[in-house]
Amino acid sequence: MSRKLVNQICARLPGAEVSDPWGGGHDCWKVGGKIFALIGAMEERVSVKCDGIETAAMLIDAGVAQKAPYLHRSWVALDCDTAAADELAHRIRQSYRIIRASLPKQVQAGLGAFPQDG
C-alpha cells in the first residue's frame, strides 16, 4: 500500500483535514483540530492512536506496528508500503473514532454522520 492510499482513507472521513504543520512533507490529518493520523516526511509510515497502551503494545509485539516516534505510547506506526490495506483502513478509522469521541459534543455534531467500517 502507499501514502496515497492512506491519504485516500483519511480524506473520506467526515471533517478530516490535512496539513503540513512542520513543513518538509508531513501529511498531518486532523479532525476538530486534533491529529488522528500522521505520515512523516522521511518514512512511509502512518502513526495512529490506539484505544490504550495495551492495544499499542499488543500490535507492536505482534509485529503489526512499531512504536510511533515522538508520540505517546498509545500511538503506533504502520508501514504504508507493507501493511495490508484492510489493516491500514481499520487502524485509521479507529484512531479517527477515538479522537472524534474526545471532541466537544457540539463539534462532533457538526462533523456529520459517523463513518461505518466497510
Side-chain angles (χ1 to χ4, degrees):
M1 299 302 100
S2 69
R3 176 185 212 94
K4 182 178 176 182
L5 175 63
V6 169
N7 284 330
Q8 288 173 349
I9 294 166
C10 292
R12 291 184 196 125
L13 299 169
E17 297 178 342
V18 67
S19 65
D20 184 4
W22 305 286
H26 296 84
D27 292 335
C28 181
W29 285 93
K30 297 179 180 181
V31 61
K34 294 187 175 192
I35 298 172
F36 70 90
L38 174 65
I39 305 172
M42 303 302 278
E43 297 178 2
E44 294 291 306
R45 295 187 303 189
V46 59
S47 296
V48 293
K49 184 163 180 60
C50 296
D51 60 2
I53 295 169
E54 298 81 13
T55 302
M58 184 262 316
L59 291 169
I60 293 167
D61 290 346
V64 175
Q66 303 170 329
K67 184 192 176 316
Y70 311 110
L71 299 169
H72 186 267
R73 293 186 308 151
S74 61
W75 286 74
V76 296
L78 298 122
D79 189 299
C80 294
D81 293 323
T82 61
D86 60 339
E87 182 72 20
L88 279 173
H90 173 71
R91 294 290 160 202
I92 291 167
R93 284 193 296 263
Q94 284 297 99
S95 182
Y96 172 88
R97 284 186 175 106
I98 292 165
I99 299 302
R100 179 181 169 136
S102 74
L103 298 172
K105 298 294 182 199
Q106 187 174 7
V107 174
Q108 290 181 46
L111 294 173
F114 199 76
Q116 299 298 312
D117 282 333

